[in-house]
Amino acid sequence: LDVSMALGAKWCFVHCMSLNPENQSDPVNPGCRVRPDQGLDSISELQPGMVTGELSAVWKHLINMLLEMGFIPEQSLLVAPYDFRLAPRQLEERDGFFTRLKQQIENANRADKVKFQKKHPGMRSRVVQRGLMIIAHSMGNPIYRYFEAWIKYTLGEARGRKWLDNNVNTFIAVGA
């Protein structure tokens, strides 16, 4: 987001960030299709500018530490940005968000056939037995909890619980 552009064209910014009042989807104007950015860069830093200045690191230091420990982007270090304007049900209906998140988690676990060996200076290495560590921030916490409920609803309670047990090792709520 270029803050100077957004402040200079307030009407356009507000219009594009607004949802269609009839169906809570994209605005009627076809030129306004807003989706969250993807990848580690989307959460690492805010764009330095007149509002943030140089103080723009968000998750940059944690990401760098995890990379130094041996985590691999898009394999064992994943991010799942979502459209904060939508209700969880609409995230799935419009973008297939929970279906894609489930697939990302399954792919990451499959790619980790030789259980990920953590390496960190000053710590003894240990092997993660199974599943991913999920770190959610702020409104990502209820989105993740909704994802857990969606898994159980979609797969059935018993199969859903088993899927979560096999694929998710730890959940950490930050800024809950």
Side-chain angles (χ1 to χ4, degrees), residues 3-118:
V3 177
S4 62
M5 292 274 298
L7 293 176
K10 290 179 197 170
W11 182 88
C12 182
F13 176 76
V14 169
H15 178 72
C16 285
M17 288 301 290
S18 300
L19 294 172
N20 184 321
E22 292 180 20
N23 60 14
Q24 296 298 295
S25 190
D26 294 314
V28 178
N29 181 348
C32 292
R33 184 177 182 270
V34 177
R35 296 294 184 273
D37 198 2
Q38 300 297 312
L40 293 176
D41 288 343
S42 69
I43 67 166
S44 181
E45 297 179 280
L46 297 173
Q47 181 178 0
M50 56 192 221
V51 175
T52 61
E54 294 300 315
L55 302 173
S56 66
V58 180
W59 293 100
K60 178 182 179 179
H61 302 295
L62 176 62
I63 290 169
N64 288 340
M65 182 186 76
L66 294 171
L67 293 173
E68 287 172 13
M69 290 171 61
F71 284 83
I72 302 164
E74 303 305 321
Q75 193 171 351
S76 56
L77 182 56
L78 309 168
V79 296
Y82 62 95
D83 190 336
F84 67 90
R85 303 169 303 161
L86 298 179
R89 180 179 53 80
Q90 290 169 306
L91 287 171
E92 179 60 22
E93 287 174 3
R94 189 189 77 182
D95 300 335
F97 179 79
F98 298 111
T99 300
R100 285 186 297 113
L101 181 57
K102 178 179 179 279
Q103 191 63 53
Q104 265 189 306
I105 290 171
E106 289 171 348
N107 290 344
N109 278 315
R110 252 193 307 280
D112 188 25
K113 299 223 190 287
V114 186
K115 302 303 177 195
F116 180 73
Q117 186 84 27
K118 291 185 179 178

